[in-house]
Every structure is written in structure tokens, then in C-alpha cells.
Amino acid sequence: MKKKLKMDNIDCAHCAMEMEEEIRKIDGVNSANINFMLQKLTLDVDDEKFDEILEQARKAVKGVDEDAVIL
């Protein structure tokens, strides 16, 4: 399942890269790409684990930048 999700408060491109790396480490994530300029996350994950993975991705984002969020 590929989803495009809005993000907010990503302050730098380097932070976005770190967030991508952390999200990609989550079991069940096929790919994760953050467009820093558009503040969007494209997430490709196993369908049956989407809600669980999204929650883990939100925590991973907060681990890099406390102000950044996945909406």
C-alpha cells in the first residue's frame, strides 16, 4: 500500500533525510520518501500493518525533530 501523507514543521532537508532513514528501518516498510519542500511523506508499507507502521513512523519522526509531525 502506497500512501501520501502530509507532514508539518520539518525544519531542514538533513532532518528529512534522517527521518526517512529511521522510517525505512521499521519492519514492514517497503519504502519511505520525504519531500522537504512540499512537507509530504510517501510511504509504501504492508497493507495489514499500516496503522501500526504509521504509529511507529510518527515516533521515529519525533525522535529526529520533536516539532515535526505526520498528519
Side-chain angles (χ1 to χ4, degrees), residues 13-45:
H14 180 74
C15 294
M17 183 184 68
E18 286 184 35
M19 290 173 196
E20 282 181 356
E21 290 174 6
E22 291 302 312
I23 293 170
R24 288 178 185 147
K25 293 177 185 176
I26 299 170
D27 186 42
V29 172
N30 300 320
S31 68
N33 295 296
I34 296 176
N35 184 316
F36 167 68
M37 297 300 287
L38 296 177
Q39 303 276 306
K40 295 215 180 215
L41 165 64
T42 303
L43 190 59
D44 184 9
V45 301

Side-chain angles (χ1 to χ4, degrees), residues 3-10 38-41 43 50 54 57-58 61-62 67-71:
K3 289 263 198 179
K4 292 185 186 241
L5 305 163
K6 290 182 80 176
M7 296 188 74
D8 198 17
N9 296 327
I10 304 172
L38 296 177
Q39 303 276 306
K40 295 215 180 215
L41 165 64
L43 190 59
F50 179 77
L54 181 57
R58 286 184 170 133
V61 165
K62 289 282 187 193
D67 294 329
V69 292
I70 299 172
L71 304 173

